[in-house]
Amino acid sequence: MKEKLEAFKNKTKLAINKVIHPMLGNISISMEKRIAIEILQDSVSICQFDGKNQIKNFFNEKVEVEKDQTLEKNPEIYQEKISEIVSKNKLNNFEANVIIPTSICEIKKITTPVPEEDIANANEIIFQNFEIKANDINFWISSGHFTDLKDTDLVSHQILSKNEETLELELVVAKTTTDKINFYKELLKRSGLNANLFEPKLFSIINSILIKKQDLKPYQFGVIEYSNEQSYFVAVSENSFKFTNLDISRSDKVLLKQLENMENPDGPFWSEVFERSMQNASSLIEEINNDENNEIKLKEIYLFSELDKIKNFSSGIKI
């Protein structure tokens, strides 16, 4: 198993096909002995697949922990629970797709020019050549897209599209650290699993929705992930994937946090805070809905957050 992050092996013009590949890891894994696992503060969930990307079994068990106990501080508690599930259900040595908190990653959309020597090539060759370069962490360090990137960081990407007019590639790029990924690898190895795929929760949610939408074409939906750190908005249709960071200022993050302790978010002051916070998402929705080529307008939007309190935020946003 390769220890470094691998780029997507997508050779299509657009990134969306049936599902989005997990952002972090080696995608050439066994289809027969595969599970997906998510470890929350008070529970462990495991999906066992049947080899055809369908759920065969689902296990969800509570973890008895105190409020101040976490996965990072008390991994042995979670290891014991995972080992118990693995042993009881004969999942030993299964390959694992690990759903990790989006908050331990940095995700952004970037554009990069097609190299001059590739301009005359077909898109498939352009994408293949880019994958080769992107496998080297030094490529990302020298690109300047991440100001604090280190050679111990892990970077993966997915090509969304190629702009034929500007000759630029549009990508979604995810960054995290080796230490964070190795923590999960070692924990699951001790529990009897082989962790070689790591998927931010945001993309896991999108994949879950996509699987349900396959028989409901055409479709168009959006997903907001809101947090005190990085927040994102993704719009997905049958043949497109649009991504934007929600540029919420530090002062507005403080205000939104205070808001959750109030009875309601009514009033012009809070309306302005919500409007600023959702500006990027609103602009993207307007762009999508004004596109004459769209068969269906974007009206279905899902909201997810790792935060305990988002009631006032969810009721106050209007996009």
Side-chain angles (χ1 to χ4, degrees), residues 145-188:
H145 291 298
F146 293 97
T147 56
D148 58 346
L149 193 63
K150 305 177 183 65
D151 58 9
T152 53
D153 288 336
L154 302 176
V155 177
S156 188
H157 73 278
Q158 181 160 342
I159 297 174
L160 300 181
S161 63
K162 174 193 169 190
N163 188 312
E164 299 293 347
E165 293 183 0
T166 63
L167 296 177
E168 291 178 319
L169 299 180
E170 185 178 86
L171 312 99
V172 170
V173 183
K175 181 193 80 167
T176 190
T177 65
T178 304
D179 289 345
K180 290 174 181 176
I181 295 300
N182 284 344
F183 173 82
Y184 282 93
K185 283 184 178 180
E186 293 302 317
L187 172 69
L188 294 178

Side-chain angles (χ1 to χ4, degrees), residues 229-248:
E229 300 301 325
Q230 295 285 340
S231 297
Y232 308 99
F233 176 68
V234 182
V236 182
S237 72
E238 189 177 343
N239 57 7
S240 70
F241 181 99
K242 297 182 183 294
F243 176 95
T244 185
N245 295 73
L246 298 183
D247 294 328
I248 305 175

Side-chain angles (χ1 to χ4, degrees), residues 6-54:
E6 286 205 352
F8 283 90
K9 304 301 187 297
N10 183 359
K11 299 179 182 179
T12 59
K13 184 175 181 181
L14 293 171
I16 293 297
N17 187 3
K18 290 187 177 179
V19 295
I20 305 169
H21 292 304
M23 287 294 288
L24 310 169
N26 188 331
I27 69 172
S28 56
I29 65 171
S30 166
M31 297 297 290
E32 298 297 331
K33 298 182 66 176
R34 181 168 67 92
I35 60 100
I37 181 169
E38 182 174 19
I39 308 169
L40 300 178
Q41 197 270 338
D42 61 352
S43 65
V44 172
S45 296
I46 294 180
C47 280
Q48 181 184 359
F49 296 97
D50 63 359
K52 298 179 181 179
N53 210 33
Q54 299 297 314

Side-chain angles (χ1 to χ4, degrees), residues 256-282:
L256 290 169
K257 190 174 183 179
Q258 293 174 346
L259 174 68
E260 293 303 330
N261 296 318
M262 300 176 62
E263 289 187 5
N264 61 67
D266 293 341
F269 174 79
W270 291 112
S271 295
E272 291 181 9
V273 174
F274 289 129
E275 186 176 345
R276 289 195 300 268
S277 301
M278 292 293 106
Q279 184 175 356
N280 284 4
S282 298

Side-chain angles (χ1 to χ4, degrees), residues 194-232:
N194 175 24
N196 57 4
L197 288 173
F198 298 86
E199 183 175 28
K201 179 68 174 182
L202 173 62
F203 291 92
S204 173
I205 291 170
I206 294 170
N207 274 332
S208 297
I209 298 170
L210 280 171
I211 290 171
K212 294 180 180 180
K213 295 285 186 185
Q214 291 309 303
D215 297 326
L216 300 172
K217 299 176 182 178
Y219 55 78
Q220 181 91 249
F221 65 89
V223 178
I224 296 172
E225 174 153 354
Y226 168 66
S227 75
N228 287 332
E229 300 301 325
Q230 295 285 340
S231 297
Y232 308 99

Side-chain angles (χ1 to χ4, degrees), residues 70-80 82 183 187 190-191:
T70 65
L71 175 61
E72 290 75 16
K73 293 178 182 177
N74 309 92
E76 66 282 352
I77 298 175
Y78 297 87
Q79 178 187 330
E80 182 178 351
I82 297 168
F183 173 82
L187 172 69
R190 294 192 299 270
S191 304

Side-chain angles (χ1 to χ4, degrees), residues 113-121 133:
V114 175
E116 188 173 346
E117 63 270 20
D118 275 341
I119 289 176
N121 290 331
K133 293 177 182 178

